[in-house]
Amino acid sequence: MPAPPEPALTEDEIVRRAVALRPVLLERQPETEQLTHYPKETHEDFLRAGFYRILQPRRYGGYEFGLPVFYRVVTETARGCPSTGWALSLTAAHVLQVATLFEEKAQDEIFGADGEFRAASTVVPVGVARPDGDGHVVLDGTWPYSSGAPYSTHYVGQTLRAPTTPGDPPGPPVLFVAPRSAWTVLDDWHGVLGLRGSGSNSIHLEQARIPSYLTREAFLLDLPVEGGSVGSELHGNPMYAGRAPSFFHGELAAIMIGIAYAAADEYARIVAARPLTLEPDRTRADLHDYQRHLGEALGTIHLAEAALRQTAEDWMEVCRRNVRGEAPFTTVEDNRLALTFLNAGRLAWDVLQGTLFRTAGSRHARDGERMQRYFRDAATYWTHVGPSMAEPLTRRVGCDRLGLPSDHIALIP
């Protein structure tokens, strides 16, 4: 089995590396948007820093750090470049579900001899998994919005089981892991408002044949983890028996909080550099209003980050109780954690668009300005937690508290 590249690497050190990379990512923002994905130099920085291996089991060359550390690295990365933080998170994260759900034989093959694993993913099923004899299936289709696809070694996708009888509807959802050799990246991530450098390309599988053991009849938004999982037993770590929706909401919140910090950094630079029209020896930083705007924004962002960190710890504890048999990781717990993560991200979004962007000045809404980029990126983040996610989630939490069934509330539109 592969060993971690740095067996003695600590949680504190990997966070320090993320902080140290922020200035570099800041300077690469324009290039990242132009390329539509972060440059090769950034990818190499991440490989050296170990960011892709944060959640990966030590058995397969990872560091097996917990959610709090992963989210801190994502926040610091997004503070340097939101698009880069988004792509890093959505490629380094899916190892958690793979290590949770797939049997040992599959994991041995997926992680291979070197432990290189980076996986883009989308949750909406596309096409069907057609049986192809001798323990294989064939996949065919195009999966859009696969953030981080350019540097992914694998694809974690959803499809449907092919009907057993012609004319019947497709069967239940099937989760699959396809190696890089099975798919191509389409050059179609253009013309978007924000997160222009996130590499959220479509990937295409054309009659791709993969072993059946690289598939599981499961849905990412409802993994079978109550009481433990294949992964928690294999790796001896309760983290690999957690539900995915709340984890995904935590990712989004970590990214949004990083963007808000980036906007606050830019706001401080802007007001300190802007002379007053009638008193050119003073700047806007000397005015109480701008001091207050920045202070209120930072206070809210700190609060959002505190909620993110505590809820990440809560998620880990729910996993531990689940595996110990004390309390299962139910959809009710998942809904509660997800809504807290969502509200942390909402706090950061509200202060970015309502205070920092609004009062920074219209000149900073121009193309090429960092404040404009942060607003575009944050607005694109907010579309991910709009009517299709936030409203159903709040309803589910309300139904949970009222003791009403919420199964009829769609997980995806």
Side-chain angles (χ1 to χ4, degrees), residues 56 89-102 106-107 110-111 116-126 139 142-149 151-159 174-180 182-183 201-205 210 214-216 218-221 223 244 247-248 251:
Q56 191 161 317
S89 186
L90 273 68
T91 51
H94 296 110
V95 66
L96 195 62
Q97 291 80 48
V98 171
T100 293
L101 195 62
F102 285 84
Q107 294 196 36
I110 289 165
F111 296 113
E116 288 294 319
F117 181 85
R118 303 176 291 279
S121 181
T122 46
V123 73
V124 178
V126 173
L139 301 167
T142 299
W143 282 255
Y145 302 107
S146 302
S147 300
Y151 296 111
S152 289
T153 61
H154 295 76
Y155 190 74
V156 177
Q158 290 279 182
T159 186
V174 172
L175 187 68
F176 67 87
V177 180
R180 183 66 182 81
W183 45 273
N201 305 69
S202 298
I203 69 103
H204 180 68
L205 282 82
I210 66 171
L214 295 184
T215 71
R216 283 293 306 273
F219 185 34
L220 266 177
L221 298 185
L223 298 181
F247 169 76
F248 293 151
E251 284 188 88

Side-chain angles (χ1 to χ4, degrees), residues 16-26 28 45-46 49 51 80:
R16 281 194 291 269
R17 291 177 182 181
V19 173
L21 276 174
R22 273 188 357 224
V24 176
L25 301 180
L26 192 72
R28 292 175 183 165
D45 287 336
F46 290 170
F51 292 170

Side-chain angles (χ1 to χ4, degrees), residues 298-333:
L298 287 170
T300 300
I301 300 167
H302 294 333
L303 177 62
E305 186 179 26
L308 172 71
R309 291 192 185 187
Q310 182 57 57
T311 309
E313 295 283 1
D314 292 348
W315 191 94
M316 297 288 287
E317 178 58 25
V318 173
C319 288
R320 287 189 286 267
R321 294 202 306 264
N322 181 34
V323 171
R324 291 195 301 254
E326 297 172 4
F329 199 147
T330 63
T331 56
V332 172
E333 285 291 312

Side-chain angles (χ1 to χ4, degrees), residues 21 55 69 167 173 207 232 250 288 341 353:
L21 276 174
L55 296 172
V69 173
Q207 298 299 310
S232 63
H288 290 177
F341 280 134
Q353 59 92 18

Side-chain angles (χ1 to χ4, degrees), residues 12 18 40 43 48 56 60 70 93 101 107 131 148 173 179 204 218 229 239 303 308 367 377 381:
D12 288 343
K40 184 179 179 182
H43 171 57
R48 284 190 295 270
Q56 191 161 317
Y60 294 116
F70 180 70
L101 195 62
Q107 294 196 36
H204 180 68
S229 69
M239 179 173 70
L303 177 62
L308 172 71
D367 288 346
D377 291 343
Y381 146 83

Side-chain angles (χ1 to χ4, degrees), residues 396-411:
R396 286 198 295 273
V397 171
C399 287
D400 292 339
R401 179 63 181 83
L402 293 168
L404 300 174
S406 57
D407 294 344
H408 64 285
I409 301 174
L411 290 168

Side-chain angles (χ1 to χ4, degrees), residues 33-325:
E33 284 202 338
Q34 183 179 16
L35 291 171
T36 72
H37 57 266
Y38 53 75
K40 184 179 179 182
E41 292 80 5
T42 298
H43 171 57
E44 292 171 348
D45 287 336
F46 290 170
L47 286 171
R48 284 190 295 270
F51 292 170
Y52 296 122
R53 296 174 182 257
I54 294 174
L55 296 172
Q56 191 161 317
R58 293 189 73 86
R59 175 190 181 96
Y60 294 116
Y63 296 109
E64 210 167 305
F65 297 146
L67 257 64
V69 173
F70 180 70
Y71 289 156
R72 287 183 68 187
V73 169
V74 169
T75 294
E76 295 296 343
T77 305
R79 188 172 180 174
C81 175
S83 283
T84 299
W86 184 278
L88 170 64
S89 186
L90 273 68
T91 51
H94 296 110
V95 66
L96 195 62
Q97 291 80 48
V98 171
T100 293
L101 195 62
F102 285 84
E103 63 185 45
E104 183 176 358
K105 177 183 179 181
Q107 294 196 36
D108 286 349
E109 179 172 323
I110 289 165
F111 296 113
D114 58 7
E116 288 294 319
F117 181 85
R118 303 176 291 279
S121 181
T122 46
V123 73
V124 178
V126 173
V128 296
R130 178 170 54 84
D132 193 37
D134 193 28
H136 285 74
V137 299
V138 171
L139 301 167
D140 191 75
T142 299
W143 282 255
Y145 302 107
S146 302
S147 300
Y151 296 111
S152 289
T153 61
H154 295 76
Y155 190 74
V156 177
Q158 290 279 182
T159 186
L160 299 174
R161 191 177 68 189
T164 54
T165 304
D168 286 351
V174 172
L175 187 68
F176 67 87
V177 180
R180 183 66 182 81
S181 58
W183 45 273
T184 56
V185 180
L186 304 185
D187 184 19
D188 60 355
W189 188 242
H190 304 281
V192 293
L193 174 69
L195 299 170
R196 294 175 178 175
S198 63
S200 299
N201 305 69
S202 298
I203 69 103
H204 180 68
L205 282 82
E206 186 166 352
Q207 298 299 310
R209 189 170 185 263
I210 66 171
S212 297
Y213 59 78
L214 295 184
T215 71
R216 283 293 306 273
E217 195 168 288
F219 185 34
L220 266 177
L221 298 185
D222 191 22
L223 298 181
V225 299
E226 292 191 15
S229 69
V230 172
S232 63
E233 183 174 346
L234 177 63
H235 303 297
N237 189 335
M239 179 173 70
Y240 301 113
R243 289 190 172 272
S246 50
F247 169 76
F248 293 151
H249 275 285
E251 284 188 88
L252 297 182
I255 295 163
M256 184 60 236
I257 290 164
I259 301 174
Y261 272 127
D265 294 339
E266 181 66 4
Y267 192 90
R269 187 194 68 81
I270 287 169
V271 299
R274 181 77 180 272
L276 300 179
T277 303
L278 300 179
E279 300 177 73
D281 58 328
R282 301 175 67 210
T283 68
R284 286 188 171 182
D286 294 308
L287 300 182
H288 290 177
D289 282 344
Y290 291 96
Q291 296 165 2
R292 176 172 52 82
H293 290 323
L294 181 57
E296 289 179 348
L298 287 170
T300 300
I301 300 167
H302 294 333
L303 177 62
E305 186 179 26
L308 172 71
R309 291 192 185 187
Q310 182 57 57
T311 309
E313 295 283 1
D314 292 348
W315 191 94
M316 297 288 287
E317 178 58 25
V318 173
C319 288
R320 287 189 286 267
R321 294 202 306 264
N322 181 34
V323 171
R324 291 195 301 254

